[in-house]
Amino acid sequence: MLFPPPQNGKQASRLIVWWIGFFAFLNVYSMQAVLPLVMDDFQASPVQAGLTVGATILAVALVSPFMGMLSDAFGRKLIICSSMLALTLPTALIPLVSSLNALIALRFLQGLAIPGIVVVLIAYISEEFQANGVARMTATYVGGTVMGGFFGRFITGHAGHLLGWRGAFVTLALLNLLGALLVLWRLPPSRSFVPNRNFSAGLNTLWRHMHHKRLMAACAVGFCVLFSLVGTFTYVNLHLASAPFFLSSAGLANVFSVYLVGVLVTPLVGPYIVRLGFLRALLGALSLSTAGLLLTLWPALPAVIIGLTVCSTGVFICQSATISAIAQNIEEGRSLATGLYYMSYYVGGAAGTLVAGLAFEAWGWSGAVFSIALMQALAGAIAVLVWRPSAQGVG
């Protein structure tokens, strides 16, 4: 059987961990491929349209730390499955909106459900697997998120070309429901989870985490990393929809096939991240990503596609290195630590839609690229200052 029935005491398979990442990220960036259609429908500016992406990411950021505490109290599988079911409702309502503000509000509600999936799953992995298994399963999860991010854009782009962007979100709502039922059926219950409903202790743990320099550095790096990814893949759509490219929404969806390289590469590099060291892996991935980003400035579609491929692959390796470092070096309050990381990570993504959008409005795609490259350089500087090679388990 493709999905053997789970039993108490059984570890999660790599396949179900991959599927959870897939269904969570099917929704986060799905608006990007139809952004030009939304702009035309509501007569919106680039930054206003970008808020339909940024609202979801901001909601994820705001809820992530608290979802960690909730999960510590009530369990991993309950929160993951409940959140996946909750994601279905705002997705189903999106096709009915009559204003841009209503669309942004529903995208925000989508984002409120996502931390219960992504934050809690990392805590689940940290508890259920040994050290080498954590890196491997984390890389598997990141591979699922990459494929989910790709298919979210790919489905909405092609469905939007045929049915309009509203019809595309009807399709996503049905897929969300399918994913929730699948995970409810096949995710094994936790074996090592110990509930902690002492919220005052949780606040004390939060205070200690906020004074943990390496964790805070990881959060800052996460901010810069998602700033880069969201800023790039939000506004490159507007760049490619205009001269000299003039791509349709289906054409933009096809461009997101560059994500498939990340699907192949990220799980393969998981074991090598630990061997190479988190700092060296991160710096190498940042350099790779920046080089790809600069290549997109060449006004030729093949160059842009190659540049996006290299840029996104580097970002995915950065994410895997950073969350693996957190999973392996935080001994207490892992769900809360992961929540803090995702809060910073997604605030960075929301900032990317705003800052890169303002740069795009002022100076076009080259302005957006410059703002993103500066943020990647900042991530490298933070990592070098705090993630010392001599630090145990970090460098």
Side-chain angles (χ1 to χ4, degrees):
M1 296 177 64
L2 181 60
F3 290 98
Q7 300 173 354
N8 289 337
K10 182 177 180 179
Q11 281 186 312
S13 68
R14 295 182 71 176
L15 185 58
I16 198 64
V17 168
W18 189 95
W19 276 112
I20 293 171
F22 174 88
F23 282 111
F25 280 81
L26 191 68
N27 301 271
V28 178
Y29 309 112
S30 55
M31 188 63 72
Q32 289 177 333
V34 293
L35 210 58
L37 299 179
V38 172
M39 287 180 64
D40 290 341
D41 199 356
F42 295 111
Q43 299 299 304
S45 70
V47 171
Q48 288 173 328
L51 290 177
T52 63
V53 179
T56 304
I57 299 169
L58 180 61
V60 174
L62 294 175
V63 174
S64 289
F66 306 102
M67 191 57 67
M69 296 176 69
L70 191 65
S71 168
D72 286 341
F74 295 105
R76 310 307 187 199
K77 181 174 180 178
L78 174 65
I79 300 299
I80 291 171
C81 294
S82 299
S83 297
M84 293 187 74
L85 287 168
L87 185 58
T88 303
L89 181 59
T91 310
L93 292 176
I94 282 175
L96 305 178
V97 299
S98 58
S99 69
L100 183 64
N101 287 338
L103 175 58
I104 292 170
L106 286 172
R107 288 283 291 162
F108 184 84
L109 291 177
Q110 279 188 306
L112 294 179
I114 290 169
I117 307 168
V118 298
V119 172
V120 180
L121 181 63
I122 296 299
Y124 179 98
I125 291 171
S126 301
E127 292 167 348
E128 300 299 310
F129 295 89
Q130 299 298 321
N132 291 336
V134 168
R136 185 168 57 251
M137 295 299 288
T138 299
T140 298
Y141 156 73
V142 172
T145 68
V146 171
M147 187 63 98
F150 161 68
F151 267 104
R153 296 159 166 114
F154 189 81
I155 290 168
T156 54
H158 281 279
H161 185 69
L162 296 173
L163 308 171
W165 66 267
R166 298 174 189 271
F169 276 88
V170 173
T171 306
L172 284 187
L174 294 173
L175 289 172
N176 284 338
L177 181 59
L178 174 64
L181 295 176
L182 176 64
V183 173
L184 179 63
W185 185 30
R186 295 305 186 194
L187 181 66
S190 298
R191 301 177 309 162
S192 305
F193 170 72
V194 177
N196 177 10
R197 296 177 182 173
N198 187 340
F199 288 101
S200 62
L203 292 175
N204 290 333
T205 301
L206 174 63
W207 179 257
R208 288 192 294 272
H209 282 340
M210 292 180 69
H211 290 78
H212 193 299
K213 290 183 179 180
R214 294 187 183 95
L215 174 59
M216 290 296 100
C219 291
V221 168
F223 177 98
C224 299
V225 165
L226 197 63
F227 181 106
S228 304
L229 188 65
V230 173
T232 299
F233 281 92
T234 297
Y235 295 104
V236 77
N237 292 283
L238 303 185
H239 176 54
L240 292 176
S242 60
F245 308 104
F246 297 111
L247 294 188
S248 66
S249 61
L252 295 176
N254 291 336
V255 168
F256 286 112
S257 297
V258 301
Y259 265 57
L260 298 176
V261 177
V263 172
L264 296 174
V265 171
T266 306
L268 294 177
V269 302
Y272 298 100
I273 288 173
V274 177
R275 296 179 195 174
L276 184 62
F278 299 121
L279 176 60
R280 287 188 290 273
L282 178 71
L283 293 178
L286 283 170
S287 300
L288 184 71
S289 183
T290 302
L293 180 65
L294 295 176
L295 185 58
T296 66
L297 292 172
W298 194 354
L301 186 58
V304 175
I305 291 174
I306 293 170
L308 291 174
T309 303
V310 174
C311 176
S312 59
T313 299
V315 168
F316 301 145
I317 297 172
C318 288
Q319 183 193 16
S320 186
T322 307
I323 61 180
S324 293
I326 293 172
Q328 232 171 272
N329 289 282
I330 298 297
E331 297 297 330
E332 66 165 343
R334 284 178 171 140
S335 184
L336 183 55
T338 306
L340 283 173
Y341 169 76
Y342 275 109
M343 179 181 71
S344 300
Y345 183 72
Y346 286 106
V347 166
T353 63
L354 178 61
V355 176
L358 291 172
F360 183 87
E361 287 187 353
W363 301 291
W365 177 238
S366 59
V369 166
F370 180 72
S371 68
I372 294 163
L374 282 179
M375 197 59 62
Q376 291 182 330
L378 178 60
I382 292 168
V384 168
L385 288 173
V386 182
W387 287 13
R388 300 296 184 186
S390 59
Q392 183 178 2
V394 175

